[in-house]
Amino acid sequence: MRVVVQRSKQAKVVIDGETVGAIDFGLVLLVGITHEDTIDDVKWMADKVAGLRIFEDESGKMNLAVTDIGGQLLSVSQFTLYGDCRKGRRPNFMAAARPEQAEPLYDAFNVALRERGLKVETGRFGAMMDVELINSGPVTLILESGA
């Protein structure tokens, strides 16, 4: 499982002109699922995201997690995170899990985040989405389960 985490001041997902998910302050999560991912990867990643200390404390040090600051999450499925561009000019997406495997794990990831007390907004799995965000910092990290 691969998640790109972006600290955000504001973000939203728009599909066909309609906002389907939006947050104020928190994290934007671009979520990729691969063939080997299991519910254990989902739980590990939810714990990692919920506890990731990338918000400043009163001393200006990255010492607070999204749970500490009352932040929100915008979770967006993104199979292209498993695009392999090493050969040729067209990405190979063979490492991305097929939708019938990926969608239930993506949904379980969002449930696991909510179970940790977080407000989670989402895009729509498999849809063509416009993601708008104001990256705060900027702070962008890549997390991988099983690494």
Side-chain angles (χ1 to χ4, degrees):
M1 186 170 187
R2 187 174 289 160
V3 177
V4 175
V5 178
Q6 296 178 296
R7 196 173 70 180
S8 177
K9 290 182 179 180
Q10 185 179 48
K12 67 180 177 177
V13 175
V14 178
I15 301 173
D16 295 328
E18 174 193 356
T19 299
V20 297
I23 63 168
D24 291 323
F25 188 64
L27 300 174
V28 173
L29 309 174
L30 305 177
V31 182
I33 309 286
T34 192
H35 305 290
E36 295 84 26
D37 289 338
T38 66
I39 198 68
D40 289 336
D41 294 290
V42 165
K43 291 176 183 177
W44 181 90
M45 189 64 75
D47 283 338
K48 181 63 88 173
V49 167
L52 198 60
R53 299 183 324 174
I54 59 172
F55 294 92
E56 285 86 9
D57 62 15
E58 61 280 348
S59 301
K61 295 187 182 204
M62 282 193 203
N63 205 26
L64 300 175
V66 67
T67 53
D68 298 325
I69 62 148
Q72 304 165 337
L73 304 178
L74 179 60
S75 175
V76 180
S77 64
Q78 190 165 353
F79 77 94
T80 60
L81 290 178
Y82 279 101
D84 184 350
C85 299
R86 292 177 292 179
K87 294 182 181 178
R89 298 187 185 270
R90 173 182 273 174
N92 174 329
F93 298 107
M94 296 302 290
R98 299 210 30 88
E100 55 271 12
Q101 177 190 5
E103 188 171 10
L105 289 173
Y106 170 70
D107 291 341
F109 176 61
N110 295 323
V111 167
L113 291 167
R114 289 182 183 110
E115 288 172 347
R116 285 151 180 81
L118 292 161
K119 179 185 179 205
V120 181
E121 294 281 319
T122 66
R124 190 172 302 139
F125 189 91
M128 182 63 74
M129 298 174 271
D130 295 326
V131 180
E132 300 176 25
L133 76 136
I134 300 171
N135 191 317
S136 175
V139 174
T140 302
L141 300 167
I142 300 171
L143 305 177
E144 283 206 58
S145 65

